[in-house]
Amino acid sequence: MIQVKEKEGERILAKISDQAYVFALAIEGDQRTLRKISKEMEQLGVQGKSNLVFVIGGSLGLSDAVMKRSNTKISFGKMTLPHQLMRLVLIEQIYRSFRIMKNEPYHK
């Protein structure tokens, strides 16, 4: 199983540019409010870091190499969600983050 996770990590890292700012989605990451994530994304943009990468691990989690490459680790809680559902939850949160940045309603 460890070899599977490491191979998956290698494939993930091969797709991430050196300039990317990487958010690793991991249970052991920090739980943040949507407003905090939005502010963080906005600040990164102001700093010229527009290449944001969000990495969702497989059923075994993320490899140590991916975790080390990440700039920050965030958690959506201790629940385990299917990969496809987590992708949907993540994209919704990113969408809402941009709504917050524009001072638009985001909760309905």
Side-chain angles (χ1 to χ4, degrees):
M1 289 224 193
I2 293 173
Q3 289 177 330
V4 171
K5 188 160 93 170
E6 296 305 317
K7 283 286 189 191
E8 180 181 66
E10 290 171 12
R11 287 192 305 273
I12 290 169
L13 291 173
K15 296 183 183 293
I16 299 175
S17 75
D18 291 339
Q19 297 78 30
Y21 188 92
V22 179
F23 291 84
L25 276 64
I27 290 175
E28 63 270 17
D30 296 326
Q31 290 188 10
R32 299 179 185 154
T33 65
L34 186 55
R35 289 197 179 276
K36 187 171 180 180
I37 292 171
S38 177
K39 186 70 171 170
E40 186 174 1
M41 289 171 56
E42 185 173 31
Q43 288 173 345
L44 288 166
V46 169
Q47 296 169 6
K49 298 177 182 171
S50 59
N51 185 3
L52 306 180
V53 175
F54 293 83
V55 180
I56 304 169
S59 60
L60 301 174
L62 292 168
S63 71
D64 289 341
V66 173
M67 294 299 278
K68 286 178 187 169
R69 170 60 182 89
S70 69
N71 298 94
T72 190
K73 297 160 189 68
I74 59 176
S75 173
F76 282 84
K78 297 196 183 280
M79 296 183 299
T80 301
L81 298 173
H83 193 85
Q84 295 294 359
L85 180 57
M86 190 61 230
R87 288 173 65 180
L88 180 63
V89 169
L90 175 61
I91 201 73
E92 173 68 14
Q93 297 308 298
I94 293 169
Y95 167 77
R96 288 174 185 237
S97 293
F98 280 105
R99 299 281 300 206
I100 290 170
M101 283 181 222
K102 293 181 173 194
N103 292 317
E104 296 175 352
Y106 67 93
H107 60 282
K108 294 184 179 187

